[in-house]
Amino acid sequence: MQVLGERGTRVDVFEGIFMVFLALGTLVGVVVVAYTLYNAYKYRDTDERKDDESLPTLGELPTGGKGGKKLFLSFGISAIIVISLVVWTYGMLLYVEDPDDEFDQDPVEIDVEGDGFAWHFEYANGAEATGTMNVPADQPVAIEVTSGDVWHTFGISDLRVKADAIPGEYDDTWFMAEEAGAQHEIECFELCGDFHTQMTGTVNVMEQDEFETWLDDQLTLDVTIETEDGEAITNVTDEDFQLEIVHQDNDEYDADLEYTRDASDFEDGSVTIDEIEQGGEYDLTITFEDDDFETIEDTVGITDPASETYTVGDADEDTDDDANGTENEADDDETDDEDDDGGEN
């Protein structure tokens, strides 16, 4: 699938530049060496005296060469070649820096942070990963690189990617991997500390359908509710209850990031929420209709597959315990008063 212009991927661009310079360098080298050998042979030292106007004479300026036309011609051709190479190479590098106009489809956006001698990745939907960057084949990937501690340099040699990771600054670049199933090593190219050589990672290239499935599966939440005895809540009560999670930044998104599950959705005390559209911090609330159990409130981070287990206690028992505690405190106060009276007598 061709999703870029004729200039192709970063690998295509840099290999193209290399091959052009190699070809021209080889051509120029062959011409220069051949011309040098030709003149060395032509003006070799022999016993014969040749009547040649262009033959140089020791101590005199050469008078041949047709007024230096060859010299100026060689300079002119060299200048044209060098200027053309500079202009062409500059245009190719501008494309590498900003190829957005030539993308046939939207790139996958990934934020990259170097921190603690590891690479951390966050996708546009809020999913996060450490060490392994999963990307789709034949689709541009736009990355924004920064650092959480010291200076690093994010690099993928196979894909010709290199970007500075500096605290408080962001470096944008892109790449595209073409072979599904391939893996490419991520390295740090800036000496950053004792474990610099261990600051590596992997780019895992997946089929596009496989990547989309993986990305969706990252934002799932499994919730289990059980009693203090370890019994599934649905096995010990018929009471209706509701599980609700709401994104803490819900107002900042166009979609309504609020998801609910009723008791009928639970099986053996467990339920899975797998339609979450945006990762992040969620406020979780479990409420019981008849107040037989206490309401549960929690904050859950959903940036990769999450699983939470909650234990419910009998609200009546808690109330009785509180009442008993109050009565015991009252008895203790009465005893203290009697002791005080006895002491005064």
Side-chain angles (χ1 to χ4, degrees), residues 34-103:
Y35 189 65
T36 301
L37 294 176
Y38 165 75
N39 283 284
Y41 177 79
K42 179 179 179 179
Y43 298 111
R44 69 189 184 280
D45 186 16
T46 63
D47 294 335
E48 298 180 1
R49 182 68 179 176
K50 294 184 178 180
D51 186 13
D52 189 346
E53 294 181 356
S54 63
L55 186 66
T57 303
L58 183 63
E60 296 181 3
L61 293 175
T63 58
K66 299 180 181 180
K69 290 182 179 180
K70 290 182 179 179
L71 181 63
F72 284 106
L73 180 62
S74 64
F75 281 165
I77 294 176
S78 299
I80 292 173
I81 293 175
V82 171
I83 293 174
S84 299
L85 279 176
V86 169
V87 173
W88 175 77
T89 303
Y90 184 69
M92 296 295 283
L93 293 179
L94 284 179
Y95 163 75
V96 169
E97 289 296 322
D98 187 17
D100 290 346
D101 294 339
E102 302 200 30
F103 286 157

Side-chain angles (χ1 to χ4, degrees), residues 10-295:
R10 296 175 67 99
V11 176
D12 296 331
V13 169
F14 286 111
E15 286 188 353
I17 293 174
F18 174 78
M19 293 305 297
V20 168
F21 274 80
L22 178 63
L24 286 177
T26 301
L27 177 61
V28 171
V30 169
V31 170
V32 170
V33 171
Y35 189 65
T36 301
L37 294 176
Y38 165 75
N39 283 284
Y41 177 79
K42 179 179 179 179
Y43 298 111
R44 69 189 184 280
D45 186 16
T46 63
D47 294 335
E48 298 180 1
R49 182 68 179 176
K50 294 184 178 180
D51 186 13
D52 189 346
E53 294 181 356
S54 63
L55 186 66
T57 303
L58 183 63
E60 296 181 3
L61 293 175
T63 58
K66 299 180 181 180
K69 290 182 179 180
K70 290 182 179 179
L71 181 63
F72 284 106
L73 180 62
S74 64
F75 281 165
I77 294 176
S78 299
I80 292 173
I81 293 175
V82 171
I83 293 174
S84 299
L85 279 176
V86 169
V87 173
W88 175 77
T89 303
Y90 184 69
M92 296 295 283
L93 293 179
L94 284 179
Y95 163 75
V96 169
E97 289 296 322
D98 187 17
D100 290 346
D101 294 339
E102 302 200 30
F103 286 157
D104 292 340
Q105 57 179 298
D106 294 334
V108 174
E109 297 180 356
I110 304 176
D111 293 336
V112 180
E113 182 181 59
D115 190 11
F117 301 107
W119 295 109
H120 308 281
F121 312 107
E122 181 176 351
Y123 295 79
N125 69 343
E128 296 180 4
T130 298
T132 299
M133 176 194 290
N134 289 318
V135 300
D138 294 320
Q139 184 171 350
V141 178
I143 60 176
E144 186 177 72
V145 183
T146 188
S147 171
D149 46 19
V150 299
W151 282 37
H152 304 283
T153 298
F154 177 85
I156 312 170
S157 298
D158 293 346
L159 302 176
R160 310 297 189 268
V161 177
K162 197 173 184 183
D164 290 331
I166 302 173
E169 297 186 13
Y170 299 89
D171 193 359
D172 297 326
T173 188
W174 68 279
F175 65 90
M176 189 176 77
E178 297 180 288
E179 183 181 352
Q183 292 189 335
H184 307 281
E185 185 178 15
I186 301 171
E187 299 175 88
C188 177
F189 289 92
E190 184 80 28
L191 185 60
C192 56
D194 294 339
F195 299 99
H196 162 70
T197 57
Q198 300 178 26
M199 191 172 179
T200 59
T202 302
V203 175
N204 182 40
V205 187
M206 312 168 74
E207 295 287 355
Q208 292 196 16
D209 292 343
E210 181 185 4
F211 170 77
E212 292 175 2
T213 300
W214 171 84
L215 193 60
D216 290 339
D217 289 345
Q218 297 310 294
L219 301 183
T220 59
L221 174 64
D222 294 329
V223 176
T224 299
I225 307 176
E226 60 184 26
T227 65
E228 295 176 348
D229 297 330
E231 289 287 335
I233 186 67
T234 51
N235 295 339
V236 298
T237 181
D238 294 330
E239 180 182 358
D240 192 21
F241 59 89
Q242 184 181 70
L243 163 67
E244 180 183 56
I245 62 172
V246 181
H247 199 290
Q248 291 185 346
D249 299 323
N250 192 26
D251 296 338
E252 298 181 8
Y253 296 96
D254 295 334
D256 186 16
L257 304 178
E258 180 177 341
Y259 309 93
T260 59
R261 291 291 188 273
D262 296 324
S264 59
D265 298 318
F266 281 73
E267 183 176 351
D268 293 331
S270 299
V271 71
T272 298
I273 303 176
D274 55 7
E275 71 271 22
I276 300 172
E277 297 182 26
Q278 184 66 40
E281 296 292 321
Y282 280 79
D283 292 327
L284 178 147
T285 306
I286 303 174
T287 55
F288 296 87
E289 185 177 88
D290 297 331
D291 295 330
D292 288 344
F293 299 98
E294 287 188 326
T295 297

